Amino acid sequence: MSVGPAWEVREDGSAASWFTVRLAFADGARIDVLAVVCEGCVFFEDVRARPALSPDDLTVLADWIEEPLLRACGLGAEPGGEGGAAARARPAWPRGDEGRRQVARAYQAAQEEGADPVLAVMSATGYGRRKSLVLIAQARDAGLLPPRHARR
């Protein structure tokens, strides 16, 4: 994987940095990404892949390139090092029962407001969709949220 800076924009004390990322595979497959890192979050501006990627592949792609991008910006943990809370791109999230209770509260508050509860959990935790769904499932398993589907 190669990561290179493309450009940076500074405004009102914050900066948005664009990077080009290329993943080349032995079988000839290639993925080129234009990504922006802003306020510790990674966003994809453009993705070109040969062969084409499925939505699930895009999720995996995000997992692959997030840390190298954050390291390139000085925000991620150094390889093999301890990241610490200051180096994380997402806020520290409590583990165990407290984390599950907070997930349940965010989920239920969004439902009451008529908003998307999964997006609310994603926003509260700073995690992507996949990890947020895992946290929601754990809250369900702990009895903090009702079952997803009522059985007949």
Side-chain angles (χ1 to χ4, degrees):
M1 175 179 352
S2 66
V3 177
W7 65 88
E8 182 176 78
V9 175
R10 294 186 177 275
E11 183 178 14
D12 297 328
S14 66
S17 301
W18 278 261
F19 291 86
T20 57
V21 179
R22 173 168 283 173
L23 289 94
F25 300 91
D27 64 357
R30 188 175 85 199
I31 304 170
D32 292 306
V33 179
L34 178 62
V36 64
V37 178
C38 183
E39 297 180 6
C41 295
V42 175
F43 303 94
F44 290 171
E45 291 289 321
D46 187 39
V47 177
R48 295 176 188 228
R50 293 206 189 266
L53 298 174
S54 71
D56 289 337
D57 294 336
L58 283 172
T59 302
V60 172
L61 175 65
D63 294 340
W64 280 354
I65 70 172
E66 182 180 32
E67 272 306 312
L69 277 172
L70 293 174
R71 277 196 306 274
C73 292
L75 298 173
E78 289 302 315
E82 294 294 320
R88 288 190 195 140
R90 59 183 61 90
W93 189 256
R95 296 177 183 255
D97 291 338
E98 181 57 29
R100 287 188 286 275
R101 279 193 288 276
Q102 288 185 24
V103 165
R105 281 194 290 268
Y107 188 96
Q108 290 168 332
Q111 276 187 323
E112 290 170 6
E113 294 171 6
D116 185 330
V118 176
L119 289 178
V121 172
M122 289 170 62
S123 177
T125 63
Y127 288 115
R129 185 171 188 80
R130 179 185 295 167
K131 177 67 175 176
S132 295
L133 289 170
V134 168
L135 294 172
I136 292 166
Q138 290 172 348
R140 285 188 200 288
D141 291 345
L144 300 169
L145 291 171
R148 185 166 180 234
H149 300 290
R151 299 193 182 193
R152 295 173 191 227

